[in-house]
């Protein structure tokens, strides 16, 4: 474990993708740098586990979105991580009769029409709830809302139309065979990181900044804050003197909830690799299932929004139990004996995340720029929520860390 220095030029708070992007960008600058991480591991909301000897599971982010513009693609190649370019199982590869093709086609037409209306609303510059673009009375509205919970971590009523429009999606989605979390941990391996080092206070009242942690106090000339918005909004990390503009901006960019579960699957060969399973359930409270990702003997379930929060509140194992019930409803009761819970996430209950990734509340699309702005040339901000176009993603977080590091170098007279 890296020991805690009493003084550094630059302290970076958080060893997720943003903090690691920042420390890499400061390498070779001549500045002394330390990353302070509350957890006992690197990666933050990127975390790969070996759920069983046969199943590698990304508990957090798993897809390299916008892969042709994703900075982790080059990093994966440099570090020798195999990339998987198979098509995602979202629109194609439906399995079973729970969602017949004619209904799927009808649903896709309704969803595409919704996105067209949402785009039209954004062109008018109205930062209104995305739910206003739903067609009143459309039978597919609850399922369109379910898709929003998977993508945004929230229902459409809580999502800003302008923020949705700002996101850049090139529709190229790749994966890392050994896990996205494993890639990000490898990216951070050479970095100076103090683990189990939760920063609770940033005192910026004097010339040098003072940071309080359970492992002691340290001072720094500059600080880069990369923690999730909910920690700033709920003042788990406090600023002295207070920074109400930052706290308010973070509150306008709350973390939605996305949770995942992986279930071991016996007799896996009887089901297709990389299949997609969901039903025409006409409700927002539903999961979507990925059958045998990478051909592994498992089914992954994915839940979002207030339903994911409810399942977390129901206690450990509730996500797996609901998944097995829902899958049995689609494929028949015989499947129950073939499924066994391996691992599930509970991101809203994670004390150092308190959610999955940010969405701007209606009227708050401008808060990303407010949160990203430096304070006094000494306090800098990064993290996925500060990315102007790649928010919610690991590469957006990494790139924002690099941007904050460049801001530090500019005010330090370094290049």
């Amino acid at each position: 474990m890296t020991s805690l220095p009493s003084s550094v030029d630059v302290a970076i708070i958080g060893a997720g993708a943003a903090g690691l992007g920042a420390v890499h960008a400061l390498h070779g600058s001549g500045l002394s740098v330390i990353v302070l991480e509350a957890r006992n591991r690197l990666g933050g909301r990127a975390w790969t586990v070996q759920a069983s000897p046969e199943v590698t599971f990304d508990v957090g982010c798993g897809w390299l979105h916008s892969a042709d513009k994703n900075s982790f693609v080059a990093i994966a190649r440099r570090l020798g991580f195999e990339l998987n370019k198979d098509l995602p199982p979202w629109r194609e590869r439906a399995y079973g009769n729970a969602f017949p093709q004619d209904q799927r086609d009808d649903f896709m037409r309704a969803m595409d029409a919704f996105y067209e209306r949402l785009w039209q609303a954004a062109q008018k510059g109205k930062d209104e709830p995305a739910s206003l673009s739903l067609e009143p009375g459309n039978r597919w509205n609850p399922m369109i809302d379910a898709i929003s919970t998977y993508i945004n971590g929230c229902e459409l009523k809580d999502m800003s139309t302008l923020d949705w429009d700002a996101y850049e999606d090139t529709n190229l989605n790749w994966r890392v065979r050994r896990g996205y979390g494993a890639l990000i941990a490898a990216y951070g391996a050479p970095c100076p990181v103090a683990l189990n080092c939760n920063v609770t206070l940033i005192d910026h009242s004097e010339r040098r900044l003072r940071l309080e942690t359970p492992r002691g106090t340290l001072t720094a000339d500059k600080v880069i804050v990369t923690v999730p918005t909910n920690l700033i909004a709920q003042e788990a990390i406090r600023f002295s003197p207070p920074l109400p503009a930052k706290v308010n901006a973070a509150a306008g960019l709350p973390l939605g909830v996305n949770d995942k579960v992986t279930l071991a699957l016996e007799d896996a060969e009887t089901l297709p690799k990389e299949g997609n399973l969901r039903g025409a359930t006409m409700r927002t409270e539903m999961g979507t299932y990925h059958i045998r990702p990478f051909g592994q003997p498992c089914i992954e379930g994915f839940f979002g929004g207030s339903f994911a929060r409810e399942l977390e509140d129901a206690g450990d194992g509730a996500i797996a139990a609901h998944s097995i019930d829902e899958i049995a409803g689609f494929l028949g009761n015989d499947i129950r004996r073939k499924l066994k819970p391996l691992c599930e996430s509970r991101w809203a209950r994670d004390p150092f995340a308190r959610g999955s990734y940010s969405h701007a509340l209606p009227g708050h699309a401008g808060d990303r720029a407010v949160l990203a702005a430096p304070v006094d040339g000494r306090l800098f901000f990064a993290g996925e929520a500060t990315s102007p176009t790649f928010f919610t993603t690991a590469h957006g977080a990494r790139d924002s860390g690099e941007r904050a590091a460049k801001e530090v170098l500019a005010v330090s007279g370094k290049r």
Side-chain angles (χ1 to χ4, degrees), residues 6-177:
S6 59
S7 169
V8 289
D9 295 325
V10 185
I12 299 167
I13 303 175
L20 299 176
V23 69
H24 272 279
L26 292 170
H27 183 70
S29 66
L31 297 170
S32 58
V33 182
I34 186 80
V35 184
L36 307 173
E37 170 53 49
R39 304 175 191 277
N40 62 0
R41 61 171 179 81
L42 303 178
R45 289 168 277 168
W47 184 26
T48 304
V49 299
Q50 197 65 39
S52 78
E54 301 83 28
V55 176
T56 302
F57 178 52
D58 266 318
V59 184
C61 54
W63 292 91
L64 287 86
H65 296 299
S66 301
D68 50 338
K69 296 195 172 184
N70 189 314
S71 52
F72 274 117
V73 168
I75 292 164
R77 288 179 172 141
R78 192 174 77 237
L79 295 177
F81 278 72
E82 178 197 336
L83 294 170
N84 177 290
K85 301 179 184 180
D86 290 350
L87 270 180
W90 302 322
R91 285 201 171 207
E92 299 86 5
R93 302 188 180 166
Y95 176 74
N97 300 316
F99 202 165
Q101 187 64 46
D102 59 331
Q103 292 188 42
R104 280 162 42 92
D105 292 344
D106 194 35
F107 169 62
M108 293 314 303
R109 277 193 294 272
M111 196 160 75
D112 290 341
F114 161 72
Y115 281 127
E116 177 61 28
R117 289 190 299 272
L118 191 58
W119 183 82
Q120 296 284 359
Q123 304 323 297
K124 294 173 187 163
K126 289 188 189 168
D127 198 6
E128 61 188 23
S131 53
L132 294 182
S133 292
L134 288 168
E135 181 185 29
N138 189 296
R139 68 192 285 248
W140 296 110
N141 284 351
M143 282 191 68
I144 293 172
D145 217 7
I147 300 292
S148 173
T149 69
Y150 308 148
I151 297 171
N152 308 300
C154 68
E155 282 75 5
L156 292 165
K157 68 180 174 56
D158 296 321
M159 193 178 79
S160 147
T161 292
L162 291 186
D163 195 56
W164 169 84
D165 190 52
Y167 180 74
E168 186 179 346
D169 186 359
T170 68
N171 290 310
L172 201 61
N173 300 284
W174 295 350
R175 285 174 293 170
V176 183
R177 178 63 189 92

